[in-house]
Amino acid sequence: MERIPLKDARFRIIGYVDIAPNGDKTLRNERLQILGYYKKNLNITQDARLFTVGRGDILTSLLR
């Protein structure tokens, strides 16, 4: 699994995206709490409670 840090304009880490070998992604905040998931085979984005929030990879929209 690959972990990619997400940074703001001041280069502070605001979250992470974990990418699985099958293309699924998990979004985490700076404290590593899960914010959402992207399921590649279904092409949907889900929040931490597994409610579908949209089609496609819109994970970063879950960052606040």
Side-chain angles (χ1 to χ4, degrees), residues 1 8 10 15 17 20-21 25 32 37 43-44 46 50 60 62-64:
M1 182 166 300
D8 65 8
R10 296 181 185 159
V17 175
K25 298 178 183 179
L32 299 178
Y37 305 93
N43 196 31
I44 60 169
Q46 299 173 316
L50 300 178
T60 55
L62 299 175
L63 277 173
R64 294 189 180 109

Side-chain angles (χ1 to χ4, degrees), residues 4-43:
I4 299 171
L6 303 173
K7 299 179 181 181
D8 65 8
R10 296 181 185 159
F11 300 101
R12 292 179 297 184
I13 293 176
I14 58 172
Y16 299 90
V17 175
D18 295 336
I19 304 174
N22 66 355
D24 288 353
K25 298 178 183 179
T26 302
L27 176 68
R28 298 175 182 272
N29 65 12
E30 70 278 358
R31 295 181 307 260
L32 299 178
Q33 297 167 323
I34 293 176
L35 300 177
Y37 305 93
Y38 170 66
K39 307 290 185 180
K40 184 177 181 184
N41 63 337
L42 300 174
N43 196 31

